[in-house]
Amino acid sequence: MTGWETLIADKLKDRASRIPPDWILSENILTQINENTDLSAFDILRKHRLLTKEEIRITESYDAQNLHRDIIEGRLTSLQVCKSFCKRAAIAQQLTNCATEIFFAEAFERARFLDYYLNKYNRPFGPFHGLPISVKDSFNVKGQATTIGFVSFLKKPLAAENSPLVDILLANGAILYLKTNIPQTLLTLDSVNNVFGRTLNPHKLSLGAGGSSGGEGALVALRGSILGVGTDIGGSIRAPSLCNGTYGFKPTADRMPHGKVELGDRPGTPGFVSAVGPLANNASDLTFFCRTVLSSEPWRLDPTALGIGWRHVSPKKRLSIGVYMGDKDFPLSPPVKRALKSAHAALEAAGHAVHLVTNAPSFHDGLKLAARYFLFDGKQTLLQHVLEGDEQPIKALEYTSPATLAGVQDPTFTLDDVWDANSSLIAYREKMAEVWRHYKLDVLMCPGHYSTAGPHDTYGPPVYTVIWNLLNFPASIIPYLKADKSLDSEICDGYDADVVHGAPTAIQIVGWKFQDEEVLMATEVIDKILRDHLTFKSVL
């Protein structure tokens, strides 16, 4: 083996050694796991009875807030909850390859401390007391590696300190136990790299898990985490949420603390910046996470965070909701179209003011403008990390090449080009503002992507998510319905009903810049209507 191959082998051996022997799956299960099989990780989990009834109850029966309540009221211990989620995370790792760093032993020690603290002082350590929370590999956790999928980063020392957000999670009582997988460069929507390999979709292992927070998406979907934390600069929270059937929220950039988060990019970018946000299995936990972090005054620990604390926004009985059915250059696949139409009908039936938006600016133009910003780093820092590790670029980079998306043959720019891009962005934002003004919108409902999760390395450009990074608008993903070959039989380019059958579908909810609380409120209101709609249909 080469020097790099030895480093990778040692890293994978170390990761495997962190899983307790009793939690290692049998060979007859592991030999079935590969990226070409249509097997479901959920089916494997149930069929082979990999968890006890109590472990299933703890990991499946709660949202984060109710789990926290049962811990602090003494019906569960932090250690009991921690062990259940760690075991389920270990199974999720073996079925979907979602983890990078595993530190269960440290998590058990933390859980014992939290149980001791609760018993001694008769009060919780904080709003996250006893909750196992997973984080994307980009976040620094003291004593753990942060390789973010680059071979060359394997030689970097372990983190000497936490990212400020990690400190905030711990200060609020969270238990950290695992970091999750991402794609090489973090600029693709398929989570695969040459160090840890590919993360698989738990619904159907042959489908992509999304990116760049794909490990989080797979882990949270399989309920190996009660709350996950990702980053999003083009759809990196929302794509994994959409692909894996979880909820996800991208806040306005810099509402959540983003300091000392390793993205591998060149500091000082003149373009738009990444946002930190949660992934969860219900809408209310998105709000719970954001409320807890923003109530902790994160700007006092992290100068990247804006000094804007949590604002309470009461639910509106009648929302004004725009519905955008897609750009002509990126037509929606049949299951995505069906999910949007169904959601539209359910919201109208519930009495909300729903407007079909027909005057939106070209999303294709927005995609090209967003891609241009990614080209302003003349040093190509991310590519240099790949070259330093003597590794090959992953296949998924082909469809997210900024130069290709921007339609630029010679990506050499001057300061004038930065000014021109900013001028174009101002003009584009004004066109979008006209949509909001014309319909007097609270939020816009639109696709999160033109398709569901698809075969690996085929996700395509993130046109319906990167637009909102470009504009710095908060946006959430609500899982809704699934692809069904008996209902989605329309023939269209790039769509195979058999291949995506059973894949989750979703809708995206978008609000104006800094209206994060309003988007979270609308997400909860809309989600309840959609759940009630499905319940009503099921009893007919």
Side-chain angles (χ1 to χ4, degrees):
M1 289 193 293
T2 67
W4 290 124
E5 288 172 331
T6 300
L7 283 175
I8 293 170
D10 288 345
K11 183 66 181 177
L12 295 180
K13 183 178 179 181
D14 176 71
R15 182 183 64 171
S17 72
R18 304 300 182 97
I19 297 176
D22 290 347
W23 295 353
I24 295 175
L25 302 183
S26 64
E27 276 299 312
N28 71 309
I29 296 176
L30 294 176
T31 53
Q32 299 178 60
I33 307 304
N34 64 77
E35 63 185 60
N36 299 311
T37 181
D38 288 342
L39 287 175
S40 158
F42 298 96
D43 290 345
I44 294 171
L45 191 68
R46 287 188 290 266
K47 177 183 177 182
H48 294 276
R49 299 181 181 180
L50 300 178
L51 296 168
T52 66
K53 289 183 179 180
E54 182 66 359
E55 288 164 346
I56 291 171
R57 185 184 75 84
I58 290 172
T59 55
E60 292 186 7
S61 302
Y62 293 92
D63 62 19
Q65 296 161 92
N66 287 326
L67 183 60
H68 168 75
R69 182 203 62 213
D70 271 17
I71 293 171
I72 65 173
E73 292 181 1
R75 285 181 286 275
L76 292 169
T77 67
S78 295
L79 184 60
Q80 187 180 8
V81 169
C82 180
K83 286 186 174 180
S84 294
F85 274 96
C86 285
K87 182 177 179 180
R88 190 153 184 151
I91 293 169
Q93 157 57 19
Q94 294 171 84
L95 296 180
T96 68
N97 192 38
C98 57
T100 56
E101 307 301 319
I102 296 172
F103 36 104
F104 295 157
E106 293 88 337
F108 298 159
E109 183 179 347
R110 167 77 169 172
R112 291 186 185 97
F113 161 75
L114 291 170
D115 286 334
Y116 163 80
Y117 184 94
L118 183 63
N119 289 332
K120 181 174 182 179
Y121 298 105
N122 199 31
R123 65 174 186 269
F125 201 79
F128 290 152
H129 182 106
L131 296 182
I133 297 180
S134 53
V135 297
K136 185 177 185 174
D137 193 53
S138 304
F139 291 91
N140 284 308
V141 176
K142 186 177 180 180
Q144 304 298 327
T146 306
T147 56
I148 59 170
F150 286 120
V151 173
S152 59
F153 278 35
L154 288 170
K155 290 187 174 182
K156 286 196 168 190
L158 302 180
E161 59 182 344
N162 293 326
S163 298
L165 179 63
V166 169
D167 280 331
I168 290 170
L169 296 179
L170 293 172
N172 280 288
I175 298 172
L176 301 184
Y177 59 111
L178 165 134
K179 295 173 67 177
T180 54
N181 201 27
I182 45 83
Q184 180 195 67
T185 75
L186 288 91
L187 288 183
T188 80
L189 287 303
D190 282 277
S191 290
V192 56
N193 59 71
N194 294 319
V195 178
F196 298 104
R198 185 186 299 281
T199 297
L200 309 179
N201 191 311
H203 294 272
K204 193 181 257 189
L205 302 183
S206 58
L207 300 181
S212 63
S213 309
E216 283 299 321
L219 179 68
V220 171
L222 207 47
R223 301 201 66 110
S225 174
I226 196 71
L227 277 169
V229 189
T231 64
D232 189 316
I233 197 170
S236 292
I237 290 170
R238 289 160 292 156
S241 298
L242 177 152
C243 288
N244 296 288
T246 76
Y247 295 77
F249 179 59
K250 179 206 79 71
T252 304
D254 294 331
R255 282 297 304 274
M256 293 285 175
H258 199 284
K260 298 177 183 174
V261 173
E262 183 61 76
L263 299 177
D265 57 347
R266 182 180 175 185
T269 173
F272 48 92
V273 297
S274 176
V276 168
L279 295 88
N281 277 305
N282 58 76
S284 64
D285 277 351
L286 300 179
T287 303
F288 171 54
F289 179 89
C290 294
R291 181 176 66 240
T292 301
V293 173
L294 292 176
S295 297
S296 302
E297 300 184 333
W299 56 90
R300 298 190 184 279
L301 282 180
D302 186 350
T304 71
L306 297 166
I308 305 174
W310 176 257
R311 296 181 295 106
H312 174 72
V313 174
S314 298
K316 291 187 72 170
K317 292 183 178 179
R318 191 170 190 265
L319 292 166
S320 178
I321 304 168
V323 177
Y324 179 65
M325 292 299 296
D327 187 285
K328 63 180 178 60
D329 292 326
F330 295 92
L332 307 184
S333 69
V336 175
K337 194 184 304 181
R338 176 169 57 87
L340 270 174
K341 286 182 176 180
S342 175
H344 184 166
L347 293 170
E348 272 193 335
H352 292 278
V354 184
H355 317 277
L356 189 62
V357 171
T358 58
N359 63 334
S362 165
F363 274 48
H364 197 180
D365 288 347
L367 173 67
K368 289 189 286 187
L369 177 58
R372 200 189 317 172
Y373 277 102
F374 286 102
L375 295 170
F376 287 153
D377 177 11
K379 294 185 176 180
Q380 300 186 62
T381 304
L382 293 171
L383 178 60
Q384 293 307 311
H385 294 322
V386 174
L387 296 176
E388 286 167 9
D390 195 26
E391 55 177 314
Q392 292 297 312
I394 59 173
K395 180 177 174 56
L397 286 171
E398 295 175 5
Y399 68 73
T400 54
S401 162
T404 300
L405 296 179
V408 175
Q409 292 184 339
D410 180 18
T412 303
F413 295 98
T414 67
L415 283 175
D416 286 336
D417 293 304
V418 178
W419 257 257
D420 290 343
N422 288 340
S423 178
S424 296
L425 175 53
I426 292 169
Y428 192 84
R429 186 181 291 116
E430 175 55 33
K431 291 179 181 178
M432 194 63 75
E434 178 55 31
V435 175
W436 255 255
R437 285 194 296 263
H438 180 77
Y439 299 102
K440 298 179 181 179
L441 297 184
D442 289 308
V443 291
L444 178 73
M445 182 170 74
C446 63
H449 191 50
Y450 49 80
S451 184
T452 63
H456 302 294
D457 300 327
T458 65
Y459 189 91
V463 58
Y464 292 112
T465 49
V466 75
I467 296 298
W468 311 120
N469 298 90
L470 176 71
L471 294 170
N472 199 13
F473 286 7
S476 68
I477 288 290
I478 299 175
Y480 181 58
L481 307 181
K482 289 188 175 183
D484 185 332
K485 61 185 178 183
S486 67
L487 299 174
D488 308 316
S489 56
E490 179 185 346
I491 298 172
C492 58
D493 290 343
Y495 168 68
D496 188 322
D498 290 314
V499 169
V500 303
H501 178 72
T505 50
I507 59 171
Q508 183 173 204
I509 305 299
V510 182
W512 200 259
K513 186 177 182 180
F514 290 117
Q515 291 193 327
D516 302 78
E517 290 85 348
E518 285 81 357
V519 171
L520 288 165
M521 175 273 293
T523 298
E524 290 196 54
V525 170
I526 291 170
D527 179 65
K528 185 178 186 306
I529 290 168
L530 298 184
R531 299 307 126 207
D532 289 346
H533 176 67
L534 291 179
T535 300
F536 176 74
K537 285 181 66 177
S538 69
V539 299
L540 290 179

